[in-house]
Amino acid sequence: MANNQMMTFQVNRRMLAAGAVLTGTGAMLALLGTAIAGTALVTAGRGWVQQLETPPTEMATRAMRQAKAVSKAASQAGVDAWRAQAS
């Protein structure tokens, strides 16, 4: 190559701009779709909780009381077993 030709990187600016616009539009549509789906799920969850006979907080409180009672009973049974074996 006698001539020192520079190869340049040429980008079609119209296509690049169109791609950027379409990507931005797609991202906005995806965000909107996610918001709509999230709203639908929250609404359905609220309706389901309202239909429950026992509120979730009361169910959690009851489960905690039961767990404490079981833990205490198991601990006492272990102490009793140690005492019985020591005697």
Side-chain angles (χ1 to χ4, degrees):
M1 288 197 144
N3 293 339
N4 236 351
Q5 293 178 334
M6 291 281 277
M7 298 291 276
T8 58
F9 184 73
Q10 295 179 352
V11 176
N12 185 338
R13 291 183 184 191
R14 290 179 110 184
M15 283 180 66
L16 185 61
V21 168
L22 288 173
T23 300
T25 303
M28 293 302 286
L29 285 173
L31 183 62
L32 181 63
T34 302
I36 291 171
T39 302
L41 288 172
V42 167
T43 303
R46 283 183 178 173
W48 176 69
V49 168
Q50 288 174 352
Q51 290 177 355
L52 293 175
E53 292 179 10
T54 307
T57 53
E58 187 178 326
M59 290 169 52
T61 303
R62 185 181 310 145
M64 193 64 162
R65 269 193 247 121
Q66 288 173 347
K68 285 180 182 179
V70 167
S71 175
K72 188 175 180 181
S75 176
Q76 187 60 46
V79 169
D80 292 343
W82 276 96
R83 285 185 182 154
Q85 192 169 3
S87 300

